[in-house]
Coordinates of all heavy atoms in Angstrom, one line a residue:
A1 N 19.8 -19.1 -7.5 CA 18.3 -19.1 -7.7 C 17.5 -19.0 -6.4 O 18.0 -19.4 -5.4 CB 17.8 -20.3 -8.5
Q2 N 16.4 -18.4 -6.5 CA 15.4 -18.4 -5.4 C 14.7 -19.8 -5.4 O 14.6 -20.4 -6.4 CB 14.4 -17.3 -5.6 CG 14.9 -15.9 -5.5 CD 13.9 -14.8 -5.8 OE1 12.8 -15.1 -6.3 NE2 14.2 -13.6 -5.5
G3 N 14.3 -20.2 -4.2 CA 13.5 -21.4 -4.1 C 12.2 -21.1 -3.5 O 11.8 -20.0 -3.2
M4 N 11.4 -22.2 -3.2 CA 10.1 -22.0 -2.5 C 9.7 -23.3 -1.8 O 10.2 -24.4 -2.1 CB 9.1 -21.6 -3.5 CG 8.7 -22.7 -4.5 SD 7.2 -22.3 -5.5 CE 7.1 -23.8 -6.5
H5 N 8.8 -23.1 -0.8 CA 8.1 -24.2 -0.2 C 6.6 -23.9 -0.4 O 6.2 -22.8 -0.4 CB 8.4 -24.2 1.3 CG 9.8 -24.5 1.7 ND1 10.6 -25.5 1.2 CD2 10.7 -23.8 2.5 CE1 11.8 -25.5 1.7 NE2 11.9 -24.4 2.4
L6 N 5.9 -25.0 -0.6 CA 4.4 -25.0 -0.7 C 3.9 -26.1 0.2 O 4.2 -27.2 0.1 CB 3.9 -25.3 -2.1 CG 3.9 -24.1 -3.1 CD1 3.4 -24.6 -4.5 CD2 2.9 -23.1 -2.6
I7 N 3.1 -25.6 1.2 CA 2.6 -26.5 2.2 C 1.1 -26.3 2.4 O 0.7 -25.2 2.6 CB 3.3 -26.3 3.6 CG1 4.8 -26.5 3.5 CG2 2.8 -27.3 4.6 CD1 5.6 -26.1 4.7
S8 N 0.4 -27.4 2.3 CA -1.1 -27.3 2.4 C -1.4 -26.8 3.8 O -0.8 -27.2 4.8 CB -1.8 -28.6 2.2 OG -3.2 -28.5 2.4
T9 N -2.4 -25.9 3.9 CA -2.9 -25.4 5.2 C -4.1 -26.1 5.7 O -4.8 -25.6 6.6 CB -3.1 -23.9 5.1 OG1 -4.1 -23.6 4.2 CG2 -1.8 -23.1 4.8
K10 N -4.5 -27.1 5.0 CA -5.8 -27.8 5.3 C -5.7 -28.6 6.6 O -4.7 -29.3 6.9 CB -6.1 -28.8 4.2 CG -7.5 -29.3 4.1 CD -7.8 -30.1 2.9 CE -9.2 -30.4 2.7 NZ -10.0 -29.2 2.3
M11 N -6.6 -28.3 7.5 CA -6.7 -29.0 8.8 C -7.9 -29.9 9.0 O -8.1 -30.6 9.9 CB -6.7 -28.0 9.9 CG -5.4 -27.2 10.0 SD -5.4 -26.0 11.3 CE -5.4 -27.1 12.8
G12 N -8.8 -29.8 8.0 CA -10.1 -30.5 8.1 C -10.8 -30.2 6.8 O -10.4 -29.6 5.9
M13 N -12.1 -30.7 6.8 CA -12.9 -30.5 5.6 C -13.1 -29.0 5.3 O -13.0 -28.6 4.2 CB -14.2 -31.2 5.7 CG -15.1 -31.1 4.5 SD -14.4 -32.0 3.1 CE -14.6 -33.7 3.6
H14 N -13.3 -28.2 6.4 CA -13.6 -26.8 6.2 C -12.8 -25.9 7.1 O -13.2 -24.9 7.5 CB -15.1 -26.5 6.4 CG -16.0 -27.3 5.5 ND1 -16.0 -27.1 4.1 CD2 -16.8 -28.3 5.7 CE1 -16.9 -27.9 3.5 NE2 -17.4 -28.6 4.5
S15 N -11.5 -26.3 7.5 CA -10.8 -25.5 8.3 C -9.3 -25.4 7.8 O -8.8 -26.4 7.2 CB -10.8 -26.0 9.8 OG -10.2 -27.3 9.8
W16 N -8.7 -24.2 8.1 CA -7.3 -24.0 7.6 C -6.4 -23.5 8.8 O -6.9 -23.1 9.8 CB -7.4 -22.9 6.5 CG -8.4 -23.2 5.5 CD1 -9.7 -22.7 5.5 CD2 -8.4 -24.1 4.4 NE1 -10.4 -23.2 4.4 CE2 -9.6 -24.1 3.7 CE3 -7.3 -25.0 3.9 CZ2 -9.8 -24.9 2.6 CZ3 -7.6 -25.7 2.8 CH2 -8.8 -25.7 2.2
M17 N -5.1 -23.5 8.5 CA -4.2 -23.1 9.5 C -4.0 -21.6 9.5 O -2.9 -21.1 10.0 CB -2.8 -23.8 9.3 CG -2.8 -25.3 9.6 SD -1.2 -26.0 9.5 CE -0.7 -25.7 7.8
Y18 N -4.9 -20.8 9.0 CA -4.8 -19.4 9.0 C -6.2 -18.8 9.1 O -7.2 -19.5 8.8 CB -4.1 -18.9 7.8 CG -4.9 -18.9 6.5 CD1 -5.5 -17.8 6.0 CD2 -5.2 -20.1 5.8 CE1 -6.3 -17.8 4.8 CE2 -6.0 -20.2 4.7 CZ -6.5 -19.0 4.2 OH -7.3 -19.0 3.0
S19 N -6.3 -17.6 9.6 CA -7.6 -17.0 9.7 C -8.0 -16.4 8.3 O -7.4 -15.5 7.8 CB -7.6 -15.8 10.7 OG -8.8 -15.1 10.8
N20 N -9.0 -17.0 7.7 CA -9.4 -16.6 6.4 C -10.7 -15.8 6.4 O -11.3 -15.5 5.3 CB -9.6 -17.9 5.5 CG -10.8 -18.8 6.0 OD1 -11.1 -18.7 7.1 ND2 -11.4 -19.5 5.1
E21 N -11.1 -15.2 7.5 CA -12.2 -14.4 7.5 C -11.8 -12.9 7.2 O -10.8 -12.5 7.6 CB -12.9 -14.4 8.9 CG -13.5 -15.7 9.3 CD -14.3 -15.6 10.6 OE1 -14.3 -14.5 11.2 OE2 -14.8 -16.6 11.1
F22 N -12.6 -12.3 6.4 CA -12.3 -10.9 6.0 C -12.6 -10.0 7.2 O -13.8 -10.0 7.7 CB -13.1 -10.5 4.8 CG -12.9 -9.1 4.4 CD1 -11.8 -8.7 3.7 CD2 -13.9 -8.1 4.7 CE1 -11.6 -7.3 3.3 CE2 -13.7 -6.8 4.3 CZ -12.5 -6.4 3.6
N23 N -11.6 -9.2 7.6 CA -11.9 -8.2 8.7 C -12.1 -6.8 8.0 O -11.2 -6.3 7.4 CB -10.6 -8.1 9.6 CG -10.9 -7.3 10.8 OD1 -11.4 -6.2 10.8 ND2 -10.5 -7.9 12.0
P24 N -13.3 -6.2 8.2 CA -13.6 -5.0 7.6 C -13.1 -3.7 8.3 O -13.4 -2.6 7.9 CB -15.2 -5.0 7.6 CG -15.5 -5.7 8.9 CD -14.4 -6.8 9.0
S25 N -12.3 -3.9 9.3 CA -11.8 -2.7 10.1 C -11.0 -1.8 9.2 O -10.3 -2.2 8.3 CB -10.9 -3.2 11.2 OG -11.6 -4.0 12.1
P26 N -11.1 -0.5 9.5 CA -10.3 0.5 8.7 C -8.9 0.5 9.2 O -8.6 -0.1 10.3 CB -11.0 1.9 9.1 CG -11.6 1.6 10.4 CD -12.0 0.2 10.4
R27 N -8.0 1.1 8.5 CA -6.6 1.1 8.8 C -6.4 1.9 10.2 O -7.0 2.9 10.4 CB -5.8 1.8 7.7 CG -4.3 1.9 8.0 CD -3.6 2.6 6.8 NE -2.2 3.0 7.1 CZ -1.1 2.5 6.5 NH1 -1.2 1.6 5.6 NH2 0.0 3.1 6.8

């Protein structure tokens, strides 16, 4: 079987361990 990991990316009240801003740049 396949498995998985789920880890919270929460670093504070309003910050995350990834860049969650939408970048509008074209390909």
Side-chain angles (χ1 to χ4, degrees):
Q2 296 175 345
M4 70 172 178
H5 297 307
L6 275 175
I7 303 173
S8 176
T9 61
K10 200 173 188 69
M11 295 180 66
M13 186 64 71
H14 301 294
S15 61
W16 312 97
M17 291 188 298
Y18 75 105
S19 175
N20 64 335
E21 293 185 3
F22 176 78
N23 189 315
S25 300
R27 179 178 167 116

